[in-house]
Amino acid sequence: AQSVSQHNHHVILSEAASLELGCNYSYGGTVNLFWYVQYPGQHLQLLLKYFSGDPLVKGIKGFEAEFIKSKFSFNLRKPSVQWSDTAEYFCAFRGGTYKYIFGTGTRLKVLA
Amino acid sequence: GAGVSQTPSNKVTEKGKYVELRCDPISGHTALYWYRQSLGQGPEFLIYFQGTGAADDSGLPNDRFFAVRPEGSVSTLKIQRTERGDSAVYLCASSSKTGWDTEAFFGQGTRLTVV
């Protein structure tokens, strides 16, 4: 069955620390990949997406993600986090279907 | 509207009652999704509409759940004989087309609590 694994459930960082959140999906064919973010009290918002082309994708607020097909991974990175990045982050993909399959999420807390 | 709108934002109902949850997608969006998010979990697919028709309802957990989109815009998720296990945040999302390279825009969700 198609699934997404997010390895880190809770992450706590100090401001200016670097961030990397892991995401692996299970599907052998062509995929669309997404990172969504949910700030406290707000709805899910798209952070970045990969459809095709350059596997290094840049999103909003300084986030980027790299698609590594051989590893079925789409890890999210940010070189220097801010207190305002405190949120829950969801990795999702679509593989051969219009359904978005989501991971369980990673709660990031950034200490000021 | 500017985004996907869901009403009500919160709903508390007694076990056994019937509830309806409404979703207003972004104007012109043809594709509409319903997801359910339980505590500590990611969104779980329920049903997908292309226009007025349910293209895939394989995620509906049982026959107590039903959704409609009669005019291809607003959608209603209906839950009969609610159970405590139905308590969750119900999310609606829409996208502008049904093709491959699209992204979904989510509403704020309806938090359903069955007591």
Side-chain angles (χ1 to χ4, degrees), chain B residues 26 28-32 48-52 69 72 94-98:
Chain B
I26 293 172
H29 279 196
T30 55
L32 185 145
Y48 165 71
F49 285 89
Q50 284 187 27
T52 60
R69 195 185 184 199
S94 69
S95 62
S96 60
K97 51 182 177 172
T98 57

Side-chain angles (χ1 to χ4, degrees), chain B residues 38-104:
Chain B
S38 302
L39 198 62
Q41 300 297 316
E44 174 192 19
F45 172 80
L46 294 178
I47 187 169
Y48 165 71
F49 285 89
Q50 284 187 27
T52 60
D56 185 343
D57 64 358
S58 62
L60 296 177
N62 51 59
D63 61 6
R64 295 186 298 106
F65 288 75
F66 189 71
V68 295
R69 195 185 184 199
E71 297 178 356
S73 178
V74 171
S75 176
T76 305
L77 178 66
K78 308 180 181 194
I79 310 174
Q80 298 178 322
R81 305 182 304 280
T82 52
E83 300 177 357
R84 292 197 179 88
D86 299 334
S87 296
V89 176
Y90 289 82
L91 299 171
C92 178
S94 69
S95 62
S96 60
K97 51 182 177 172
T98 57
W100 182 236
D101 295 346
T102 61
E103 64 201 65

Side-chain angles (χ1 to χ4, degrees), chain A residues 17-29:
Chain A
S18 64
L19 171 73
E20 181 159 3
L21 301 182
C23 171
N24 286 87
Y25 64 92
S26 63
Y27 182 73

Side-chain angles (χ1 to χ4, degrees), chain A:
Chain A
Q2 296 181 354
S3 65
V4 175
S5 176
Q6 290 186 242
H7 317 296
N8 317 99
H9 298 292
H10 291 90
V11 174
I12 301 175
L13 295 172
S14 297
E15 274 195 316
S18 64
L19 171 73
E20 181 159 3
L21 301 182
C23 171
N24 286 87
Y25 64 92
S26 63
Y27 182 73
T30 302
V31 292
N32 290 165
L33 294 156
F34 307 85
W35 276 96
Y36 279 86
V37 60
Q38 189 166 27
Y39 298 104
Q42 296 189 27
H43 61 283
L44 279 168
Q45 302 171 40
L46 185 68
L47 202 54
L48 48 77
K49 62 192 177 190
Y50 171 80
F51 291 155
S52 63
D54 188 345
L56 185 60
V57 178
K58 295 194 184 296
I60 60 172
K61 304 186 179 184
F63 286 90
E64 65 179 31
E66 185 175 13
F67 170 46
I68 303 179
K69 188 174 181 179
S70 61
K71 294 185 178 179
F72 301 92
S73 70
F74 190 56
N75 292 356
L76 181 70
R77 300 193 292 249
K78 185 171 184 179
S80 177
V81 294
Q82 300 174 314
W83 177 80
S84 58
D85 293 325
T86 294
E88 189 159 17
Y89 293 81
F90 292 92
C91 181
F93 86 101
R94 295 171 64 192
T97 170
Y98 34 71
K99 295 181 191 179
Y100 295 78
I101 308 297
F102 283 85
T104 54
T106 297
R107 286 183 182 270
L108 171 66
K109 184 169 184 175
V110 180
L111 304 175

